[in-house]
Amino acid sequence: KFNELGYCSNVPLNFIHKNGKELSFRLSGLMHESSHGKQSMAVLEDQTEVNTLRNSLDKAGSLLESSSEIARIGFWQVDLKSMEVTWSKMTKMIHEVPEEYVPNVETAIEFYKEGESREKITYVFGHCIESGEPYDVECEITTVKGITKWIRTIGIPEKNSEGKVV
């Protein structure tokens, strides 16, 4: 599987061991002509454990999504460096927005009912970022379709090795 330039990169190779275990590898290599004839150099990287972990992670993600749907629990995350907001499928369903909807911090807060609920979430979210203390509050939101809902929102900060909220 060498190309016309004499190399291959990340070629998947899968085998089944005599004990029945599936083994996965990635092959990268280089072939060239020298005064000694054709020579090749290759790197074979065992991907078996990576694939096993990836499959376990996929299963766990599916289980989490199923549990989320049954319990109607949404998940969200804010990357404070980029200020990128990520909502789970259920969070989008609760807010009655399309699956492709991408919120930002400002638009996410605007869903909270004007007045006490918006003031509360603004305060606890800011306090969580500054102090590193988690929050657990109940507030009203207004969905895209104009329906008012009571929700419980929990914020648990992620911290780096120095204890700073990230």
Side-chain angles (χ1 to χ4, degrees):
K1 290 196 173 189
F2 288 92
N3 67 17
E4 65 277 354
L5 299 175
Y7 71 91
C8 65
S9 179
N10 289 319
V11 176
L13 300 172
N14 298 301
F15 304 97
I16 297 179
H17 191 275
K18 64 183 178 184
N19 66 11
K21 183 178 177 184
E22 291 183 32
L23 304 174
S24 300
F25 298 91
R26 292 233 173 243
L27 173 70
S28 296
L30 175 65
M31 185 179 298
H32 66 93
E33 296 257 353
S34 75
S35 59
H36 302 289
K38 282 189 178 181
Q39 294 183 330
S40 62
M41 178 176 58
V43 175
L44 189 62
E45 183 180 4
D46 187 348
Q47 293 287 300
T48 305
E49 189 173 334
V50 171
N51 289 346
T52 301
L53 292 172
R54 186 177 292 127
N55 289 340
S56 294
L57 186 59
D58 289 345
K59 286 178 186 175
S62 293
L63 182 59
L64 181 61
E65 191 169 317
S66 296
S67 299
S68 170
E69 288 181 25
I70 292 167
R72 292 200 46 85
I73 296 173
F75 300 91
W76 57 271
Q77 181 175 346
V78 178
D79 179 328
L80 295 178
K81 193 176 279 186
S82 66
M83 293 308 286
E84 182 178 322
V85 178
T86 305
W87 279 2
S88 69
K89 182 178 175 183
M90 181 53 63
T91 299
K92 291 178 181 183
M93 288 174 66
I94 290 167
H95 287 78
E96 299 179 318
V97 296
E99 271 192 59
E100 61 275 0
Y101 178 76
V102 180
N104 60 48
V105 173
E106 292 78 29
T107 59
I109 288 176
E110 287 173 6
F111 279 97
Y112 287 84
K113 193 171 181 183
E114 206 169 346
E116 184 180 341
S117 287
R118 194 173 297 169
E119 291 167 11
K120 184 188 295 184
I121 194 63
T122 301
Y123 172 76
V124 296
F125 181 72
H127 182 71
C128 178
I129 293 169
E130 293 300 318
S131 70
E133 294 176 22
Y135 65 85
D136 181 347
V137 296
E138 291 184 9
C139 296
E140 287 180 283
I141 63 166
T142 304
T143 69
V144 165
K145 296 180 180 177
I147 297 170
T148 300
K149 296 180 179 181
W150 278 96
I151 63 162
R152 178 180 179 192
T153 183
I154 299 170
I156 302 170
E158 290 182 26
K159 298 177 183 177
N160 63 18
S161 59
E162 290 88 44
K164 185 176 181 206
V165 176
V166 293

